[in-house]
Amino acid sequence: MIETVTKVDLPVDESLRILKNRIQRGEGRRISIVTGTHGDELEGQAVCFEVAKKVNEHLECLNGTVDIYAALNPLGIDSITRGIPGFDLDMNRIFPGSEDGVMTEYVASKIVGDIKGSDVCIDIHASNIFLREIPQVRINTETAKTLVPLAGFLNVDFIWVHAAATVLESTLAYSLNSIETPTLVVEMGVGMRLTREYSQQLTDGIFCLMRHLGIWSGEVTEPRRPIVSTDGQVQFINAGASGIFIPQVEHTKQVKKGDYLGDIVNPLAGIVEQRILSPCDGMVFTLREYPVVDEGSLIARILEVQG
Amino acid sequence: MKRETIFELKSLYRDSFRITGLTFGRGEKSACIVGALRGNEVQQLYTCSQLVRALKRLEAEGCINSGKSILVVPSVNTYSMNIRKRFWPTDNTDINRMFPGYELGETTQRIAAGLFDAIKDYKNGVQFASFYIPGVFVPHVRIMKTGYENVDMAREFGLPYVVIRDPRPYDTTTLNYNWQVWEANAFSVYAGTTDTINRGDVTLAVNAVLNFLHKEGILKSSGCAHEGYITKIIAESDLVNVQARTAGIIDSFVPPGTNVMRGEVLAQILDPFEGSVRSQIISPTDGVVFFAQEDPLVYANASVYKIVHM
């Protein structure tokens, strides 16, 4: 059933509604699937569709509640805007919000209040328009003990346990984890696009997790065994010059130290500004998708193979 | 005055991105003043330009104490200013969420690092700041409660108010916060508007900085006619937030600085199609209007005024 989580009137003949689809059968546990915090990240849309469709088609396999929040930032999704239009605010920096606050904070507080109490929440992101990511779960070290075992069911390739940062305390995931609602952040694909292979991979993983939690009794696939790594194993490659990045390596490929990853070129002059080589052996799990780069722009991240 | 490029980034098709610094006097790094960090902070840029004008005159008159130097950085984001955008042109990131920066990191982290490296050792740091909601403030000094804040020094600006703010998680990446962590006395001066110029507030802000520099022994004379106001210290949490109950077109009756009484009608929200009054915004307290939002369209729950309770 489609329910309204919160509703706020906009100035001219329109209301902003945050909607969820609650699919419920039996007394089992509750999973919340959340996406669309950033209006330019669409990979989660296909996952929401696939999960809702499959659960509806096999309701007899459900024992519990599946809550799908497909658009936490509907104005952003509609206007191809990453933040909240009209405020130029990153919605994932205003949680847990405030019921007495301005419209954005009020909406954020209502969202947190509604998801609170879920046995698990999956917060699906899609990088941004600049970078392509393999399906991965990102977990703060403070919550790793609880979340890494759950993330293992999500059928992702990689679990990145990263250092805590004060600035990330304003995210939805941090806010929910702080109130005993285990929340896993998934990053996959690229902004403004759908990668069907990835959405199917994560959908399969969500059903694996639901089965583990006793919410789903239908058939599931065997989840992939993800690589679990910490910050120390991730190598960042940033542009050393401004220009157009032309990749010579495919996303997800294994590379050796010194392998040729691509060039930053100056099309006007016809010269290569920077030839980019791999700093280590490993897997290219992040690769620049948007060709225009400034000095400093992230080109790739490589998960280093030890030894 | 010595003009120099503090940081430079080459671009593919645009002129190089540059952060320019203007230095007055010689010797100890006594004070640094940063103007616009965002592309729409025109009031902050203009305020800096008027401060530079005043400092040039004072330097020519020998009014800078020997052994003291002042650095002014009028704009940190010229690229965005020139295309009328608030944040960084390509990835829309906010330089004021990147401090202390990282010289090997992403573009705006590098810009923040380049700037911070040049200004972190100044004893006093002043930033002309703006608010994310379009609106007008009574000019004031804002400091963050980090444990390093110096409230008494904030009075030296002679502005009517000093606001003390408890930092939120995102504040830890701002210039003001990091200046304090690096043991500078850091102050944010809110000079009224953001993307429009209000000359009266500019004069107040410029005089406030000159008074501060004089009282800190950096200038022999402020060159100002008076030393400003007796400052009232308030906590940001004590500001009374007045919200719109309904959305629509706002018809506001009270500009910032107005004394208001409890029960007074401050504004009315009109139906955008019919012009009828949907709701009135009533002052919940006696006080002074400290902030007024200036967007004619308001959302439900929008923070329309902030009032200093009397």
Side-chain angles (χ1 to χ4, degrees):
Chain A
M1 191 170 76
I2 308 295
E3 300 176 10
T4 300
V5 173
T6 189
K7 169 179 169 284
V8 180
D9 288 339
L10 301 180
V12 188
D13 201 23
E14 185 186 354
S15 294
L16 166 70
R17 288 184 182 80
I18 308 296
L19 303 174
K20 77 171 173 187
N21 182 6
R22 167 159 284 191
I23 313 173
Q24 195 168 30
R25 182 177 172 274
E27 301 296 317
R29 290 171 162 178
R30 174 185 171 206
I31 185 170
S32 290
I33 296 156
V34 176
T35 195
T37 312
H38 294 128
D40 61 350
E41 298 183 9
L42 304 175
E43 300 279 12
Q45 298 301 311
V47 178
C48 288
F49 166 72
E50 296 290 354
V51 171
K53 181 168 174 282
K54 188 168 173 178
V55 174
N56 281 327
E57 286 173 355
H58 300 281
L59 213 50
E60 72 283 0
C61 298
L62 180 66
N63 177 30
T65 302
V66 179
D67 280 338
I68 296 172
Y69 304 73
L72 295 192
N73 179 8
L75 300 177
I77 292 175
D78 185 69
S79 59
I80 323 175
T81 307
R82 183 170 179 79
I84 303 174
F87 292 87
D88 222 350
L89 261 186
D90 183 340
M91 191 178 190
N92 215 19
R93 294 289 180 274
I94 58 169
F95 289 102
S98 160
E99 194 141 345
D100 301 324
V102 297
M103 187 266 261
T104 50
E105 294 204 351
Y106 173 80
V107 169
S109 77
K110 289 291 184 187
I111 289 168
V112 169
D114 205 77
I115 300 171
K116 180 183 174 183
S118 302
D119 293 286
V120 68
C121 173
I122 315 295
D123 180 16
I124 307 168
H125 291 258
S127 183
N128 52 35
I129 64 165
F130 304 107
L131 303 166
R132 179 173 286 280
E133 300 278 1
I134 62 166
Q136 61 197 269
V137 178
R138 293 189 186 165
I139 295 172
N140 187 323
T141 46
E142 292 172 2
T143 49
K145 197 174 167 189
T146 312
L147 298 184
V148 170
L150 291 173
F153 290 96
L154 276 182
N155 198 34
V156 295
D157 300 279
F158 173 37
I159 297 172
W160 183 358
V161 180
H162 62 81
T166 310
V167 70
L168 297 180
E169 291 174 13
S170 310
T171 61
L172 174 64
Y174 188 95
S175 300
L176 289 170
N177 280 312
S178 305
I179 52 171
E180 312 302 323
T181 302
T183 300
L184 297 160
V185 175
V186 176
E187 285 280 359
M188 64 178 198
V190 64
M192 293 191 186
R193 296 286 180 271
L194 295 180
T195 311
R196 293 308 305 272
E197 176 197 343
Y198 290 170
S199 53
Q200 191 55 55
Q201 184 181 336
L202 180 62
T203 301
D204 290 345
I206 288 172
F207 280 98
C208 291
L209 180 61
M210 284 166 58
R211 187 171 170 112
H212 167 72
L213 295 171
I215 300 171
W216 188 250
S217 59
E219 287 297 310
V220 296
T221 57
E222 184 66 28
R224 300 177 185 208
R225 290 192 173 181
I227 303 164
V228 181
S229 88
T230 58
D231 287 337
Q233 293 161 267
V234 176
Q235 293 274 352
F236 288 65
I237 302 172
N238 294 81
S242 300
I244 301 296
F245 173 62
I246 302 176
Q248 295 293 338
V249 66
E250 283 182 45
H251 185 223
T252 78
K253 292 296 177 196
Q254 298 288 333
V255 292
K256 294 277 185 198
K257 183 175 180 177
D259 277 0
Y260 177 34
L261 303 183
D263 291 318
I264 295 173
V265 304
N266 181 331
L268 184 66
I271 58 171
V272 175
E273 297 279 3
Q274 187 188 5
R275 185 177 168 92
I276 297 169
L277 306 178
S278 177
C280 61
D281 294 355
M283 189 232 317
V284 181
F285 74 92
T286 305
L287 186 63
R288 183 89 185 173
E289 181 82 8
Y290 192 75
V292 179
V293 297
D294 291 328
E295 185 182 323
S297 296
L298 189 62
I299 298 294
R301 279 186 283 233
I302 297 179
L303 180 60
E304 191 170 3
V305 176
Q306 300 293 319
Chain B
M1 184 187 82
K2 190 175 80 179
R3 182 180 176 130
E4 62 186 333
T5 299
I6 291 174
F7 181 80
E8 188 166 5
L9 205 64
K10 287 200 171 66
S11 165
L12 178 60
Y13 292 130
R14 288 181 72 169
D15 192 3
S16 284
F17 169 78
R18 288 181 294 273
I19 300 176
T20 300
L22 308 169
T23 305
F24 301 86
R26 285 181 182 178
E28 177 203 63
K29 293 182 173 182
S30 303
C32 173
I33 295 98
V34 173
L37 274 171
R38 280 79 174 243
N40 67 333
E41 292 179 344
V42 180
Q43 170 87 341
Q44 290 65 26
L45 177 71
Y46 182 68
T47 306
C48 252
S49 74
Q50 297 309 297
L51 178 66
V52 166
R53 228 177 131 199
L55 287 172
K56 277 172 86 170
R57 177 174 54 80
L58 289 166
E59 188 175 46
E61 292 169 0
C63 286
I64 298 176
N65 275 318
S66 68
K68 306 280 183 187
S69 74
I70 305 160
L71 172 66
V72 181
V73 182
S75 174
V76 178
N77 196 348
T78 52
Y79 259 28
S80 296
M81 286 197 137
N82 289 330
I83 60 166
R84 313 309 300 258
K85 204 166 178 281
R86 182 165 165 83
F87 298 132
W88 185 247
T90 44
D91 61 9
N92 208 40
T93 52
D94 183 358
I95 296 170
N96 205 25
R97 295 287 180 274
M98 295 294 163
F99 288 98
Y102 176 43
E103 62 186 10
L104 299 176
E106 296 231 26
T107 310
T108 44
Q109 289 177 309
R110 292 180 186 214
I111 294 168
L115 173 68
F116 199 62
D117 188 51
I119 67 176
K120 69 181 187 314
D121 296 328
Y122 281 80
K123 216 169 145 186
N124 300 290
V126 179
Q127 182 204 346
F128 291 123
S130 75
F131 194 46
Y132 75 97
I133 297 173
V136 183
F137 277 106
V138 170
H140 66 280
V141 178
R142 192 170 287 224
I143 50 178
M144 260 188 268
K145 200 171 180 180
T146 58
Y148 303 100
E149 75 278 6
N150 192 327
V151 179
D152 286 337
M153 280 179 75
R155 293 178 195 271
E156 293 174 0
F157 287 88
L159 285 173
Y161 299 98
V162 168
V163 178
I164 304 170
R165 170 183 170 83
D166 285 319
R168 291 186 174 195
Y170 60 77
D171 284 318
T172 56
T173 52
T174 60
L175 171 60
N176 186 304
Y177 186 95
N178 282 279
W179 247 337
Q180 287 197 41
V181 171
W182 259 255
E183 297 182 349
N185 301 303
F187 308 94
S188 296
V189 172
Y190 283 72
T193 56
T194 301
D195 43 17
T196 56
I197 289 173
N198 180 313
R199 289 172 197 274
D201 288 344
V202 168
T203 304
L204 265 179
V206 169
N207 288 348
V209 173
L210 294 173
N211 277 324
F212 174 80
L213 296 176
H214 177 222
K215 286 173 184 166
E216 280 301 302
I218 300 163
L219 295 179
K220 288 177 187 165
S221 154
S222 70
C224 304
H226 65 88
E227 293 189 356
Y229 299 84
I230 296 170
T231 304
K232 183 178 170 71
I233 309 289
I234 50 176
E236 191 184 43
S237 54
D238 290 341
L239 290 170
V240 179
N241 191 28
V242 184
Q243 290 176 286
R245 282 187 292 116
T246 53
I249 293 175
I250 186 167
D251 188 6
S252 178
F253 307 138
V254 287
T258 309
N259 285 301
V260 294
M261 311 245 308
R262 181 187 165 94
E264 185 177 336
V265 179
L266 305 179
Q268 53 191 17
I269 308 290
L270 307 177
D271 182 295
F273 289 172
E274 300 174 19
S276 52
V277 177
R278 279 183 170 169
S279 65
Q280 289 183 320
I281 296 177
I282 310 286
S283 180
T285 182
D286 294 345
V288 177
V289 176
F290 188 73
F291 168 79
Q293 78 108 38
E294 61 179 4
D295 189 340
L297 294 178
V298 293
Y299 296 88
N301 289 348
S303 181
V304 178
Y305 300 105
K306 291 182 189 293
I307 296 178
V308 181
H309 174 70
M310 298 292 275

